[in-house]
Amino acid sequence: MTEPILGTMVPAMVTPFTDDGALDLDAAQSLANYLVDNGADGLVVTGTTGETSTLTDDENIKVFEAVVEAVGGRAKVLAGTGMNDTMHSAGLSKRAEAAGVDGLLLVTPYYNKPNQAGIKAHFEYIASATDLPVMMYDIPGRSVMPIEPETIIALSEHPNIVALKDAKSDYQSTTLVLANTDLAVYSGDDGLTLPLMAAGAVGVVSVSGHAAPRTYRELVDAANAGDFATARQKHFELDPIQRAVMTHIQGAVAAKTVLQWQGIIPSARVRLPLIAATAEEEAIIKADLAEAGMAI
């Protein structure tokens, strides 16, 4: 397996906003430090959970620079620069490289519905635009089109494509990739971290990791050490937290809400089309967290 040069416990970091919807770079730096202090060895910045689709390019760069300044050297910083415009994505990736990030997270181009040849050409073009290592992000639930395992295997030959964030929920497809490439595979579905690591994944890119970073660190470390009894215990401990963050409302909304309750960020503000959690949704989330022993 490829060395996990981009970390193993990698929160997909929210982008904090002020109550009026502006970037809160101080809160972003504080959150980055909190996550790294509590076990993260990588951070995805302005990915899906970071609300990249409602950030301008300049805002993306400001967040990259702020997080690199805060935790660069202590954790790998991956810039979410994937979009459905190949040239735009390549240009933003070049700017991210200049901002000092350690790698790129590139999602499958969404909405356009390219065929597999188009998907392959998209990733190859962007991966060739910089010298940074690339983590592909396969999430057909959002992008519509999957990256088929044969396409992933072919893309693994590109020298800059070193990792895959797998959110396909197709264990057979992931098995083919693990058996036929040296990609560092990451669970992109919090609840599947344990089974994917049992098959050879190196870690997780997590949304729920905001709420319980130390426990995710313990799960990943145990699984990588082959201690699956401990990993299974941590998996069960994390289950109600994963339900709280991932199953009731959109993940960025839930993660920000929990982080605000914990006093880690000052505001749970999200940008439209996302909206704040309702009182009823908050009650359900709190019930799951209480099951996990988290008093909010």
Side-chain angles (χ1 to χ4, degrees):
M1 303 298 294
T2 296
E3 282 294 312
I5 62 170
L6 300 175
T8 56
M9 205 295 276
V10 186
M13 203 178 97
V14 300
T15 301
F17 301 129
T18 62
D19 285 333
D20 63 1
L23 283 182
D24 189 340
L25 296 177
D26 289 340
Q29 291 188 320
S30 177
L31 174 59
N33 276 304
Y34 166 80
L35 293 169
V36 174
D37 288 345
N38 285 277
D41 54 359
L43 295 171
V44 166
V45 182
T46 77
T48 304
T49 305
E51 298 179 72
T52 188
S53 58
T54 56
L55 299 177
T56 67
D57 284 0
D58 287 345
E59 286 178 322
N60 274 284
I61 297 302
K62 287 177 181 178
V63 180
F64 301 157
E65 290 173 342
V67 175
V68 168
E69 180 181 63
V71 299
R74 295 205 298 140
K76 301 298 183 181
V77 179
L78 284 75
T81 58
M83 52 191 68
N84 66 339
D85 177 340
T86 306
M87 301 306 172
H88 188 179
S89 186
L92 184 59
S93 298
K94 292 176 183 177
R95 292 184 66 186
E97 183 176 34
V101 303
D102 299 293
L104 305 174
L105 179 75
L106 301 179
V107 71
T108 318
Y110 42 85
Y111 185 73
N112 313 63
K113 295 183 71 173
N115 62 17
Q116 292 299 303
I119 291 171
K120 181 173 180 286
H122 172 85
F123 281 113
E124 288 175 334
Y125 187 93
I126 303 167
S128 298
T130 80
D131 292 325
L132 293 172
V134 168
M135 181 186 295
M136 298 179 290
Y137 183 12
D138 187 11
I139 183 166
R142 289 183 182 274
S143 65
V144 181
M145 301 302 294
I147 317 174
E148 296 294 352
E150 296 79 10
T151 305
I152 296 171
I153 291 166
L155 283 165
S156 72
E157 298 299 318
H158 192 289
N160 289 346
I161 296 176
V162 302
L164 170 70
K165 179 183 177 184
D166 186 289
K168 190 184 282 178
S169 298
D170 183 340
Y171 201 73
Q172 183 61 58
S173 174
T174 311
T175 298
L176 284 170
V177 171
L178 286 163
N180 291 281
T181 75
D182 61 358
L183 293 171
V185 175
Y186 294 75
S187 175
D189 183 331
D190 292 348
L192 294 181
T193 303
L194 176 59
L196 286 175
M197 292 193 71
V202 300
V204 61
V205 178
S206 174
V207 180
S208 307
H210 287 92
R214 287 188 181 275
T215 310
Y216 273 98
R217 175 81 270 160
E218 291 165 351
L219 187 161
V220 168
D221 286 349
N224 277 324
D227 180 3
F228 284 97
T230 298
R232 185 165 52 249
Q233 176 190 347
K234 299 302 174 182
H235 171 74
F236 293 146
E237 290 177 15
L238 286 165
D239 179 62
I241 298 170
Q242 291 166 172
R243 282 187 270 121
V245 175
M246 300 304 296
T247 64
H248 306 302
I249 57 177
Q250 201 270 357
V253 180
K256 283 187 169 181
T257 299
V258 175
L259 287 167
Q260 184 184 40
W261 288 340
Q262 293 174 313
I264 296 166
I265 61 174
S267 174
R269 174 67 184 261
V270 290
R271 286 182 175 176
L272 287 169
L274 300 182
I275 58 173
T278 66
E280 293 79 8
E281 290 165 340
E282 288 183 351
I284 296 169
I285 293 169
K286 285 181 178 179
D288 285 338
L289 296 178
E291 182 182 336
M294 293 176 63
I296 297 294

